[in-house]
Amino acid sequence: MINNFEYFKPSQVKDVASLLKAYADNIKVLAGGTDLLVAMQEGDLAPDYIVDIKGLTDIDRIKYDKENQILRLGAATSLNDIAASKVVQKHWPLLAEAAQTVGSYQLRNRATIGGNLCNSSPAADTLAPLVALEAEVEMVGLEGSRIMKVKDFLVGPGQNRLSTGEIVTELRLPKPSGAVKGRYIKHSRRKAVDLATVGVAVIAEEGDLGYRFKVALGAVAPTPIRAYQAEKILNESELNEDIIDKAVQAAGEAIFPITDLRASKDYRLKMVKVQLRRAIEKVIDSWE
Amino acid sequence: MKEKIKVTVNGELRSEEVTPNQTLLNFLREDLDLTGAKNGCNEGECGACTVFLEGKVVNACLVLAIEADGKEVETIEGLASGTELHELQQAFIDYAALQCGYCTPGMIMSAKALLNRNPNPTREEVKEAIAGNLCRCTGYEKIIEAIIAVAEKNS
Amino acid sequence: MGKVIGKSVNRKDGVEKVTGAARYVDDMKFPNLLHAKVLRSPYAHARILEVDTSRAEALPGVKAVITGRCFPNITGLYIGDRTVLAQEKVRYVGDPVAAVAAETPEVAEQAVELIEVEYEELPGLFNPCEAMQEDAPLIHENINQYNHADFIDPVPDSNISNHFKLRKGDVEAAFAEADYIFEDEYQTPMVQHVPIETHSTIARYNLDGKLKIWASAQSPDALRELLGVIFNKPLNQIQVETVPIGGGFGGKAGLTPETPIAICLSSLVRERPVKLTYSRQEEFHCATVRPGIYANYKTGVKEDGDIVAQEIEYIWDAGAYNDYAVNVTKTGGYSCSGPYEIPNVKADSYCVYTNHPVSGAYRGFGMCEVHWGIEQHLDSIAEELGLSPLEIRLKNALQDGSLTVTSEVMQDVAYSECLEVTAEQIELEKEEESTSPTKLRGKGIAGAYKGPSTPPNASSSALIQILADGSINLIITATEMGQGTYTSLAQIAAETLGVAIDDINVSTPNTDYTPHDWQTVGSRTVFSTGNAVVRAAEDAREQLFDYAAEDLGVEAADLDIEEGIIFDTTEPANEDKRVPISKYALGLQYADGSGRGGQVIGRGIYMPEGITNLDEYGQGKTVNHWTFGCHGAEVEVDTETGQVEVLKMTTTFDLGKVINPQLAEGQLEGGLVQGYGTAILEELIIEEGEVLNNSFVDYKIPTAMDIPEIKSNMLETALEEGPYGARGIGEPAMIPAAPAIANAVYDAIGVRIKELPITPEKILQALAEKESKG
């Protein structure tokens, strides 16, 4: 049962920031509500104030900034809008693919990219792709705004770098320089509407020296992580089965999975390797 | 502590008072007595509460009533026009796509949303579109058939 | 084919359900309605030292607070082991300890949190194999005093609430003569029914002492009878109305606690109805679950595959209260070997109290649990003997003239045909190419049988009222929970009467007006209530013919009805002798304005004949009819991830007579997918008595994305006793799904998963063990 609260829906970011500053731990930001309202129903959260950010200008807009070659995703953009966006599908297919694996269709009409980020679950399906895509997050507070890499923004399960009085207003994704192939594999118990047991995001960007890989892994550490060593192995050698093997092994060494209801630590470790190999192979297949 | 909202429900503009912690589902069921949308889990997992908000299907259990202020809501009760069933409703009957009926209103709303955005879905697309609507009785097969039949009839 | 029977007529309740107009219990409103919430035990096993409700009672808006002390009467369907609320002890995490009725659900919830309970924790018993030991502490200290049905045998001073014993032939001698003896162990965990509608009830205790109940209850009459015991009331002072039920599957059968709790609360605030609807979380661990089983098999076979002896031990994890589970475990016992003829059988089925959630009836009533082992064990034996899964089954299958494990003589059995049709359709012997080198394909079949698992004298009744215009009310207490009761029974009524399906209206069960029906469980309704409907319709026809014979001057024996018109079969075209039934609906009228008789009210009752309780060796005929069938499965196993993809399933059952093909197919598909769920996804994960996955986040049931391609086959080997030959089908359709999938998995990868569900981790572990053994 949701405890009662006072509801605000300002149209100015500074008003949101003021409220957040004023009520600190006693206020929560409402975007899609798909995590917040569940937590409130279960009594895990009982804030006295809620600030709905959907009244902010452009907060749910997908915009490609040609000048800076950046994709700007308003924090309250729904995951369905991202998955259906032509521009996202074209240059950031990995993100479109991952967005579509979250929950159900009706849930994705509400769930937002900013919410997925701020909820900061290590298993969140969009986060490993955002890390792999080197996305940045814009945070705005009363003192102004700041930009941070998503990878640095995420600190641990449910924890991030957002300060009191700040909200995330936008995600920014740099446009890949060349052709890009990507693959997100969500390993879960059920085929639909499930949490990721393991999430594997792989992209390969075409550059002067051939394809460059970026790899990020979800649900296997306190935050989604970049598998730098695996990337290095993939990027510094001629690709063959042995190299992919080595990269997969390296990824396995970079993670710290846990045992929970959804899977054992050991199973997660195995699945990261299996699914990373499959994702790499699929990416390679798609450019060949 | 009540707040005034204006919301168009099944085409009718309503001025109502809600408390901020009231979900859209609770508002529809308790205040407007539109009990077609069901409370199956209260956490966005079962889809029994699926309704349209501004033309898009949502889990009404995960929407605050106050968020619907100034918006349009469509529930299963608004689907039939007069005594004429909507073609999806008729197809669900004709194909025996329901048993206990508890998931049916939400299921039909998801089906309608699918056909709105994709009038000619493949079987796989139908399955994806209703994956967020749990049915424990039918095994889904007849639901899928009913939805495809409506799509085929219209194409 | 009949005129109405055998046709896929539309559901009687279709329009109200597709429009959202159907009012389920939780949809019902009353101006003075109170809302109830329950305080539940956080301990699996503890003594209640003190309950302080004073702070809750003082909260504004709270109208009633009850604790176990208020209502001490004990009851149960087959063993009375339960009170409305826990008395001196709590026996599972979730045991209701106190309850509140308040003006709003919010206040009720706040009040519940203000109730203080002091517990003394006791050691918990979580494994039935340990709990059944002689030295185990007792979960029910009063077990020796509990009332129970005459066919239930609790073991004194133990946690065994029922020990069913079966002894057929001479097992020892037969084992000595067997060429091979195989032993095997299988397990299934507790699972939940997961109806999309959680348990819900509204009770109003009137000032004059009458009780009115609206409940999502499968069994209005059984509920009323048990409430009569709890509240010391004549049954005619209790009115139970069953509005549409949002899925039952056995979990809403018998007496479930929400209704007595609501009544207790309403008794303190008379004339105010009290609603209690379970949250999804409560549904998972405080409503009924399916018991877990530990199954041990020892089987003696001849070289040619003939099974000569079987020794079986079933140990059931039945949870904290066993008022219904005792009969589940008895049914498991008297059906212990599956649909096979085995001359020498020794079986012991133990229903055991544990500090786990309360178990009871769940679609299949013990049959899913026992067939999980039986049908895999058979495949293992077949492989050792070099026989195919089909060969060993056909070799031992029950057929006409066979004796079951209880020595019942079988007739009208088409189990072998079901097996053959399925094996042919899935091309059991044909190997399929997999889509990838890391994936392996396999096929499997599994069979099943089931009877309605009722006491021998469980009866049904029906009334048929013909109204002035010739339209008809069919009045029954069989409930509609999705399975199509109203429609199939209306078809039976229409066919027998000789009227159109649209002429029949089916009443909503209301124990004040509708006649007795034992329970809507056990796939018994088409069979048992169906027979009552046939008799009611025949009775109505006789009354009509009595009037018509006099009126038309025709022998009653020469009259018939078609499409609502009574006519003379000797001259069917004679328009003077063709009259609509409406003419006699209210009696016979003479030319002078006088008349004879009155309304045509057909009365039909049915109680199966020739069945009794079993003897002390578990021998005799206690099942009113059996349904046979099987499933075939084709799977692809990902050997790297352990994931099992069920590609195709075939379901073949002998329905005796298909009343409504579309609805029957819906039962087959729905049952199969529910069985698939238990095979691949479902289990209650319980740690020290606490259910860890009591939400849809971590208890996954199948979505539309998960289902295999399904092919259904319906055979019709008429059942002599069945209405138009029909047999029950609701539950049987679920039973063989899990073992069929497991057998297909074995066929694919050569490892056998013996404990449900078949999870990827179990597959990988089994593959690793197989590899390490070389």
Side-chain angles (χ1 to χ4, degrees):
Chain A
M1 202 149 291
I2 298 175
N3 268 16
N4 214 353
F5 51 82
E6 199 173 334
Y7 172 86
F8 302 99
K9 190 177 179 183
S11 55
Q12 301 293 324
V13 177
K14 65 176 187 340
D15 296 334
V16 174
S18 302
L19 286 164
L20 292 175
K21 190 90 190 171
Y23 296 121
D25 291 344
N26 203 8
I27 188 165
K28 284 282 164 191
V29 171
L30 171 65
T34 53
D35 287 314
L36 178 67
L37 296 183
V38 172
M40 289 174 74
Q41 285 284 13
E42 285 166 9
D44 297 339
L45 291 174
D48 286 323
Y49 305 95
I50 289 284
V51 56
D52 185 343
I53 60 166
K54 292 192 292 294
L56 302 179
T57 313
D58 288 350
I59 198 70
D60 58 355
R61 197 161 81 157
I62 299 174
K63 191 183 168 195
Y64 178 60
D65 176 348
K66 270 193 187 150
E67 197 179 327
N68 298 303
Q69 302 230 319
I70 286 174
L71 177 72
R72 295 162 171 269
L73 299 171
T77 307
S78 79
L79 297 180
N80 270 348
D81 283 352
I82 289 172
S85 159
K86 293 280 178 265
V87 62
V88 178
Q89 285 173 0
K90 183 159 182 215
H91 298 296
W92 297 271
L94 177 67
L95 183 62
E97 187 184 13
Q100 200 152 8
T101 69
V102 177
S104 62
Y105 182 83
Q106 52 268 59
L107 188 106
R108 294 192 299 273
N109 270 339
R110 287 274 294 171
T112 66
I113 188 79
N116 216 218
L117 178 68
C118 293
N119 194 50
S120 303
S121 160
D125 291 300
T126 64
L127 299 191
L130 287 174
V131 166
L133 293 165
E134 297 183 337
E136 293 179 331
V137 50
E138 181 189 61
M139 293 170 274
V140 178
L142 285 176
E143 286 80 39
S145 70
R146 57 185 177 133
I147 303 279
M148 190 182 281
K149 286 238 157 73
V150 166
K151 167 178 79 69
D152 300 326
F153 175 83
L154 298 166
V155 179
Q159 294 174 311
N160 55 50
R161 297 274 178 213
L162 214 51
S163 304
T164 302
E166 273 185 320
I167 63 158
V168 168
T169 50
E170 191 172 276
L171 278 128
R172 298 179 183 177
L173 283 82
K175 183 171 173 281
S177 47
V180 60
K181 304 292 176 191
R183 202 65 215 227
Y184 177 69
I185 295 184
K186 174 175 183 165
H187 185 95
S188 53
R189 296 162 297 184
R190 191 172 69 181
K191 283 193 185 163
V193 197
D194 198 0
L195 299 168
T197 305
V198 163
V200 172
V202 174
I203 51 168
E205 252 181 84
E206 194 173 22
D208 299 341
L209 305 164
Y211 279 92
R212 304 281 300 169
F213 278 90
K214 286 175 192 156
V215 175
L217 308 167
V220 288
T223 64
I225 54 164
R226 274 286 284 277
Y228 288 112
Q229 191 57 33
E231 290 176 11
K232 191 160 180 270
I233 292 167
L234 292 170
N235 292 334
E236 290 182 356
S237 336
E238 183 97 354
L239 285 177
N240 57 37
E241 270 200 31
D242 189 41
I243 290 300
I244 295 174
D245 261 346
K246 284 193 174 124
V248 164
Q249 288 306 325
E253 281 158 27
I255 61 174
F256 316 93
I258 56 161
T259 293
D260 62 16
L261 282 180
R262 297 182 261 287
S264 68
K265 174 183 172 176
D266 181 54
Y267 185 70
R268 283 199 164 90
L269 198 58
K270 282 188 188 135
M271 286 316 102
V272 160
K273 294 180 187 171
V274 170
Q275 300 295 12
L276 178 57
R277 172 194 308 281
R278 290 182 183 181
I280 293 168
E281 285 169 356
K282 281 186 169 132
V283 165
I284 293 171
D285 283 350
S286 66
W287 82 54
E288 274 169 356
Chain B
M1 187 175 57
K2 291 245 180 185
E3 308 256 354
K4 280 207 169 79
I5 62 167
K6 281 194 170 146
V7 52
T8 304
V9 180
N10 297 330
E12 192 181 327
L13 181 65
R14 315 276 303 237
S15 294
E16 303 286 338
E17 287 193 338
V18 298
T19 57
N21 65 340
Q22 225 178 328
T23 61
L24 177 60
L25 178 62
N26 182 278
F27 169 70
L28 292 170
R29 288 177 56 79
E30 303 301 326
D31 295 1
L32 305 188
D33 202 26
L34 295 169
T35 56
K38 309 294 184 202
N39 186 345
C41 70
N42 238 1
E43 55 180 355
E45 289 273 343
C46 78
C49 66
T50 304
V51 299
F52 280 88
L53 176 65
E54 289 291 273
K56 289 181 173 175
V57 276
V58 297
N59 295 301
C61 73
L62 293 188
V63 178
L64 297 173
I66 202 167
E67 288 182 85
D69 187 21
K71 296 190 160 56
E72 280 193 29
V73 174
E74 192 189 353
T75 71
I76 188 75
E77 288 89 347
L79 206 54
S81 62
T83 55
E84 187 89 359
L85 293 182
H86 184 272
E87 55 187 353
L88 274 165
Q89 292 173 318
Q90 189 59 51
F92 268 58
I93 295 173
D94 293 342
Y95 285 80
L98 66 132
Q99 288 185 26
C100 86
Y102 214 71
C103 74
T104 307
M107 191 69 81
I108 290 178
M109 295 319 249
S110 280
K112 183 171 184 243
L114 168 69
L115 298 184
N116 284 352
R117 66 181 182 272
N118 179 1
N120 281 306
T122 61
R123 187 180 155 87
E124 204 57 23
E125 285 167 339
V126 172
K127 287 162 83 171
E128 273 173 26
I130 59 169
N133 295 79
L134 295 177
C135 169
R136 191 58 155 171
C137 299
T138 63
Y140 301 105
E141 188 58 43
K142 301 206 178 309
I143 295 173
I144 297 165
E145 284 171 25
I147 298 169
I148 289 175
V150 170
E152 282 176 354
K153 196 182 86 190
N154 292 338
S155 68
Chain C
M1 186 184 286
K3 290 196 160 58
V4 190
I5 280 180
K7 300 256 164 60
S8 292
V9 305
N10 281 344
R11 295 184 68 97
K12 284 280 175 191
D13 52 356
V15 172
E16 67 168 27
K17 286 180 174 176
V18 299
T19 54
R23 291 267 167 174
Y24 299 77
V25 177
D26 196 46
D27 300 335
M28 298 177 74
K29 302 263 164 51
F30 297 87
N32 54 351
L33 184 68
L34 294 174
H35 302 267
K37 293 281 174 190
V38 179
L39 178 70
R40 297 182 178 280
S41 167
Y43 297 106
H45 198 191
R47 209 170 293 289
I48 301 170
L49 301 179
E50 205 180 320
V51 184
D52 181 355
T53 59
S54 54
R55 289 175 65 209
E57 282 164 30
L59 189 71
V62 171
K63 293 295 167 188
V65 182
I66 55 166
T67 66
R69 285 190 296 273
C70 310
F71 298 90
N73 285 3
I74 198 157
T75 191
L77 191 65
Y78 296 105
I79 184 168
D81 64 359
R82 205 169 184 184
T83 49
V84 176
L85 297 170
Q87 302 267 332
E88 281 148 22
K89 268 174 57 165
V90 287
R91 297 182 174 88
Y92 74 101
V93 175
D95 212 348
V97 174
V100 174
E103 297 287 356
T104 67
E106 290 82 358
V107 172
E109 189 158 304
Q110 284 167 19
V112 158
E113 284 163 18
L114 293 174
I115 297 171
E116 287 164 36
V117 185
E118 204 182 316
Y119 296 97
E120 178 197 333
E121 208 178 341
L122 298 168
L125 289 166
F126 306 115
N127 182 320
C129 306
E130 290 164 18
M132 72 187 283
Q133 300 302 319
E134 275 180 26
D135 57 349
L138 294 183
I139 293 173
H140 289 260
E141 287 84 353
N142 297 333
I143 183 168
N144 300 355
Q145 278 84 57
Y146 288 164
N147 289 322
H148 56 82
D150 53 4
F151 51 79
I152 297 300
D153 294 307
V155 177
D157 304 311
S158 81
N159 287 315
I160 300 170
S161 56
N162 184 33
H163 175 197
F164 175 80
K165 223 185 290 183
L166 184 141
R167 305 286 183 266
K168 177 193 180 192
D170 183 344
V171 175
E172 292 313 316
F175 275 127
E177 283 173 22
D179 293 328
Y180 301 96
I181 292 175
F182 298 98
E183 294 190 56
D184 233 337
E185 293 174 17
Y186 290 88
Q187 285 175 45
T188 69
M190 284 182 160
V191 294
Q192 222 267 328
H193 311 62
V194 199
I196 306 301
E197 176 203 40
T198 61
H199 283 60
S200 186
T201 193
I202 297 172
R204 188 183 64 213
Y205 206 118
N206 295 350
L207 278 169
D208 62 9
K210 273 187 129 177
L211 292 178
K212 169 84 205 218
I213 291 128
W214 297 264
S216 63
Q218 285 179 229
S219 318
D221 278 308
L223 178 61
R224 177 170 66 167
E225 284 152 31
L226 294 166
L227 292 175
V229 175
I230 299 178
F231 297 102
N232 294 318
K233 271 193 188 301
L235 297 186
N236 66 359
Q237 298 299 295
I238 305 171
Q239 184 187 162
V240 179
E241 189 176 333
T242 306
V243 294
I245 302 168
F249 316 114
K252 293 170 181 171
L255 175 73
T256 47
E258 70 281 0
T259 296
I261 290 172
I263 294 171
C264 291
L265 288 166
S266 182
S267 73
L268 303 178
V269 203
R270 300 216 174 175
E271 295 293 336
R272 293 201 69 173
V274 174
K275 182 193 276 186
L276 176 53
T277 299
Y278 282 2
S279 67
R280 179 56 60 186
Q281 192 188 27
E282 282 177 304
E283 185 72 19
F284 271 115
H285 72 278
C286 309
T288 317
V289 304
R290 187 170 93 179
I293 194 174
Y294 294 75
N296 302 313
Y297 300 93
K298 180 181 171 189
T299 304
V301 291
K302 291 288 193 187
E303 186 129 31
D304 64 357
D306 193 18
I307 301 173
V308 292
Q310 197 161 50
E311 193 173 322
I312 293 175
E313 185 180 53
Y314 290 142
I315 298 168
W316 301 78
D317 178 2
Y321 300 97
N322 294 351
D323 65 317
Y324 214 138
V326 287
N327 197 35
V328 175
T329 62
K330 174 185 174 238
T331 306
Y334 71 61
S335 317
C336 61
S337 299
Y340 305 100
E341 179 164 30
I342 303 173
N344 305 286
V345 180
K346 175 184 177 210
D348 291 278
S349 182
Y350 299 96
C351 188
V352 185
Y353 286 121
T354 61
N355 296 111
H356 275 164
V358 181
S359 74
Y362 180 12
R363 197 175 199 166
F365 209 73
M367 293 304 96
C368 291
E369 297 92 309
V370 304
H371 283 81
W372 167 247
I374 294 165
E375 290 296 307
Q376 290 202 71
H377 183 50
L378 263 187
D379 264 32
S380 300
I381 294 170
E383 191 188 25
E384 293 290 334
L385 298 179
L387 296 170
S388 77
L390 180 63
E391 283 166 343
I392 195 157
R393 285 179 175 77
L394 291 177
K395 177 115 196 135
N396 294 284
L398 287 173
Q399 44 197 302
D400 288 358
S402 297
L403 295 183
T404 66
V405 289
T406 72
S407 301
E408 178 189 339
V409 185
M410 292 278 95
Q411 60 172 20
D412 307 324
V413 179
Y415 178 48
S416 298
E417 286 90 320
C418 292
L419 291 166
E420 283 163 340
V421 166
T422 304
E424 190 183 318
Q425 216 164 62
I426 65 164
E427 300 180 282
L428 187 59
E429 298 299 321
K430 188 180 160 206
E431 283 189 22
E432 306 288 341
E433 284 290 306
S434 88
T435 55
S436 133
T438 60
K439 294 178 180 177
L440 296 172
R441 287 266 184 118
K443 290 175 183 173
I445 55 169
Y449 76 155
K450 185 181 184 301
S453 341
T454 67
N457 65 345
S459 67
S460 295
S461 39
L463 292 173
I464 284 179
Q465 244 182 353
I466 303 193
L467 308 184
D469 63 351
S471 65
I472 290 148
N473 273 337
L474 172 60
I475 306 170
I476 47 167
T477 308
T479 53
E480 176 61 82
M481 50 194 150
Q483 79 281 41
T485 299
Y486 292 174
T487 315
S488 55
L489 293 180
Q491 285 180 265
I492 290 172
E495 182 79 32
T496 311
L497 281 167
V499 302
I501 183 72
D502 290 343
D503 291 338
I504 311 261
N505 171 62
V506 184
S507 64
T508 300
N510 180 326
T511 56
D512 260 14
Y513 319 114
T514 56
H516 181 268
D517 208 321
W518 178 69
Q519 294 203 70
T520 304
V521 297
S523 315
R524 68 183 283 274
T525 304
V526 160
F527 170 76
S528 181
T529 317
N531 273 323
V533 170
V534 168
R535 292 178 180 186
E538 284 169 349
D539 187 31
R541 278 167 68 96
E542 274 178 36
Q543 295 171 39
L544 288 166
F545 293 162
D546 173 44
Y547 298 137
E550 183 182 342
D551 190 39
L552 303 176
V554 177
E555 286 292 314
D558 289 334
L559 292 169
D560 198 359
I561 309 175
E562 267 180 13
E563 287 169 27
I565 305 292
I566 299 173
F567 65 96
D568 181 355
T569 54
T570 63
E571 37 177 345
N574 184 343
E575 285 300 322
D576 294 339
K577 294 189 177 177
R578 293 180 66 87
V579 288
I581 59 171
S582 57
K583 187 173 182 196
Y584 310 118
L586 301 182
L588 179 59
Q589 196 187 338
Y590 298 121
D592 65 359
S594 67
R596 172 166 80 81
Q599 183 176 33
V600 174
I601 303 174
R603 163 185 172 273
I605 52 174
Y606 178 76
M607 187 186 288
E609 285 170 16
I611 56 172
T612 64
N613 285 338
L614 297 170
D615 69 16
E616 60 183 308
Y617 301 108
Q619 297 296 291
K621 177 170 160 65
T622 199
V623 176
N624 54 50
H625 78 283
W626 293 93
T627 300
F628 295 84
C630 71
H631 284 166
E634 183 176 347
V635 304
E636 188 167 79
V637 182
D638 187 325
T639 57
E640 289 186 325
T641 67
Q643 288 169 315
V644 175
E645 167 117 36
V646 182
L647 303 166
K648 287 181 194 165
M649 286 193 76
T650 294
T651 167
T652 309
F653 273 85
D654 179 5
L655 280 72
K657 175 72 195 173
V658 180
I659 305 294
N660 182 318
Q662 208 177 29
L663 297 186
E665 197 173 72
Q667 288 303 301
L668 291 179
E669 291 167 357
L672 183 149
V673 170
Q674 223 169 75
Y676 161 89
T678 62
I680 301 293
L681 295 168
E682 299 178 36
E683 76 181 302
L684 284 172
I685 302 171
I686 312 176
E687 206 174 271
E688 298 286 303
E690 192 183 350
V691 175
L692 301 181
N693 59 336
N694 55 4
S695 86
F696 279 134
V697 177
D698 285 311
Y699 189 107
K700 292 297 188 193
I701 66 170
T703 71
M705 288 290 283
D706 298 284
I707 60 165
E709 186 187 320
I710 302 169
K711 172 93 180 79
S712 305
N713 305 296
M714 296 184 273
L715 308 188
E716 294 187 310
T717 310
L719 174 74
E720 200 181 321
E721 271 279 289
Y724 296 92
R727 301 165 192 264
I729 189 56
E731 300 167 284
M734 175 168 176
I735 299 165
I741 292 168
N743 285 338
V745 167
Y746 182 84
D747 184 48
I749 59 172
V751 296
R752 199 160 274 295
I753 305 301
K754 298 186 174 183
E755 187 182 343
L756 276 175
I758 306 166
T759 62
E761 297 206 40
K762 285 180 196 165
I763 297 254
L764 288 191
Q765 197 186 339
L767 283 171
E769 279 165 20
K770 185 187 166 201
E771 196 160 313
S772 71
K773 281 182 198 150

